[in-house]
Amino acid sequence: MSTGPAISIRNMVKRYAGEKGESGKLALDDVSFDVPQGGIFGLLGPNGAGKSTLINILAGLVKKTSGTAEIWGFDIDRDMRNAKRSIGIVPQEVVFDPFFTPYEVLENQAGLYGVPKSMRRSMELLRAVHLEDKKGAYARTLSGGMKRRLLIAKAMVHSPPVLVLDEPTAGVDVELRRQLWELVEEMNSEGVTVVLTTHYLEEAEQLCERIAIINHGKLIANKTTRELVDMAREKIVVLTLDRDVEALPTHPAFLKCETVGERMIEITYDMDRINAGEVLTLIQGEGFAIVDVSTREADLEDVFVSLTSSARQAA
Ligand code: ADP
Ligand code: MG
């Protein structure tokens, strides 16, 4: 496949079986989106949103209720074999047979995928995930971080064009998170399309060009990271003034104005209607001298909160 999306999902629905005749959990509610080729795509959502359910459907581990999905142009029902060959999945849970070495883990997995011996690249992959020196160690002796990296190598044994990581950094420390981000960026720069699910906004914002947001099984946004951040029209300025503030200033473009410390006020304003310079002029016009100023841009977190809360209101 040379053009078209890396992954295409249409009207995906998953309802888990309920207990004793009750209707079960609707984990995916008519989800449709495309993952373009070549980038790092973020599937962002809080715990329980339906991210793993979607990934596990692509992996063939969960049976969808309805809808279709194509991986690298191959339909997961009609062309399951090619669809599977086109994707490598790093599951959320870390599980290994403790008595295999990293090298054996990769060789076994290559065997499962029918990769002929001459085409295997176990050592190359161990190098790529910086586990070369752990080639012969038992899996049970690896640290948590090493196991995560080994899982990434394991997902790549059949050289799939698409790599999916389900919450690669949930519960890992800052240092390991940084290492995993680097690894993901390396894989991507070598041409692999990467999809990662995360509930960390910061992670999606830093790593992904494009982000789909899923909440309560529904897709509520699918945009470039830039577009999402631009959706936040709020800007915040914190001012330290030369004297006590008796009455807080008001203006139609101020969304909020509050006292945040001694002689300190925080003004949230609509950046489409007024700019920081005008805010300062207004305050000075009220007879204050400004001792200190800091501003903050709305970030993805602000967008996320407003999107997920409006989705709750609509539901
Ligand atoms: P996420 O990965 O975004 O945290 P999941 O896809 O794991 O979300 O879960 C989505 C919803 O489906 C949750 O409410 C979860 O409790 C439910 N769920 C997940 N797996 C099962 C299952 N095997 N049986 C029943 N409900 C499930
Ligand atoms: Mg999950």
Side-chain angles (χ1 to χ4, degrees):
M1 191 185 78
S2 55
T3 56
I7 298 177
S8 178
I9 290 162
R10 288 293 172 274
N11 308 107
M12 192 58 76
V13 174
K14 173 61 188 181
R15 186 183 288 282
Y16 284 105
E19 306 215 334
K20 297 181 231 112
E22 282 173 33
S23 75
K25 174 83 194 175
L26 185 59
L28 292 174
D29 185 2
D30 198 22
V31 169
S32 302
F33 67 94
D34 285 345
V35 175
Q37 282 187 45
I40 303 181
F41 186 95
L43 183 62
L44 176 68
N47 282 326
K51 305 181 297 296
S52 292
T53 299
L54 188 61
I55 301 311
N56 290 337
I57 288 170
L58 297 177
L61 299 171
V62 166
K63 202 169 166 296
K64 62 190 163 62
T65 304
S66 61
T68 59
E70 286 181 4
I71 303 168
W72 216 245
F74 301 114
D75 186 284
I76 60 168
D77 295 321
R78 292 199 309 268
D79 212 345
M80 197 250 284
R81 212 180 145 76
N82 281 320
K84 274 204 158 168
R85 279 192 179 159
S86 305
I87 196 166
I89 294 187
V90 182
Q92 190 171 345
E93 304 302 329
V94 177
V95 276
F96 285 113
D97 188 323
F99 296 107
F100 285 113
T101 67
Y103 185 80
E104 288 165 344
V105 167
L106 299 189
E107 286 292 307
N108 292 347
Q109 184 77 356
L112 277 178
Y113 274 92
V115 181
K117 281 239 157 41
S118 62
M119 302 278 285
R120 293 192 189 169
R121 44 187 209 127
S122 300
M123 272 325 290
E124 179 195 328
L125 284 168
L126 286 177
R127 267 194 296 279
V129 299
H130 313 293
L131 284 176
E132 209 178 348
D133 57 335
K134 295 287 172 187
K135 170 181 191 267
Y138 284 133
R140 69 177 146 83
T141 67
L142 303 179
S143 70
M146 292 172 183
K147 285 179 184 159
R148 294 251 173 199
R149 300 204 306 261
L150 180 55
L151 276 180
I152 295 176
K154 189 178 167 194
M156 293 299 299
V157 293
H158 55 299
S159 309
V162 186
L163 175 66
V164 178
L165 302 110
D166 194 3
E167 304 253 9
T169 60
V172 312
D173 64 34
V174 177
E175 169 61 16
L176 176 57
R177 190 180 304 180
R178 201 187 47 73
Q179 274 182 30
L180 290 172
W181 287 1
E182 261 172 32
L183 194 55
V184 164
E185 281 173 334
E186 272 165 37
M187 300 263 176
N188 179 245
S189 69
E190 278 156 29
V192 178
T193 301
V194 177
V195 178
L196 72 95
T197 81
T198 181
H199 63 269
Y200 296 120
L201 293 157
E202 191 207 343
E203 181 157 86
E205 188 170 8
Q206 289 227 354
L207 229 48
C208 306
E209 282 107 84
R210 201 176 175 87
I211 298 174
I213 301 178
I214 184 169
N215 194 34
H216 298 300
K218 282 197 166 76
L219 193 81
I220 56 172
N222 173 17
K223 294 185 185 305
T224 65
T225 307
R226 190 65 249 168
E227 282 172 319
L228 273 176
V229 172
D230 281 348
M231 282 172 69
R233 306 309 304 163
E234 294 178 8
K235 210 161 168 169
I236 296 153
V237 58
V238 179
L239 303 173
T240 307
L241 305 173
D242 64 330
R243 57 187 170 80
D244 293 341
V245 185
E246 271 115 51
L248 288 170
T250 58
H251 185 274
F254 289 0
L255 303 167
K256 207 163 70 186
C257 180
E258 56 191 7
T259 311
V260 291
E262 204 180 333
R263 297 181 179 178
M264 273 175 91
I265 58 171
E266 183 179 284
I267 299 171
T268 305
Y269 61 93
D270 182 340
M271 62 199 266
D272 284 343
R273 297 173 65 190
I274 195 168
N275 64 39
E278 290 165 330
V279 173
L280 299 190
T281 308
L282 268 164
I283 302 302
Q284 285 163 332
E286 304 218 354
F288 291 102
I290 292 159
V291 178
D292 197 15
V293 176
S294 66
T295 60
R296 183 170 82 79
E297 295 260 356
D299 59 16
L300 200 53
E301 177 152 11
D302 301 301
V303 180
F304 183 78
V305 169
S306 80
L307 278 172
T308 51
S309 61
S310 61
R312 250 200 312 280
Q313 276 153 20

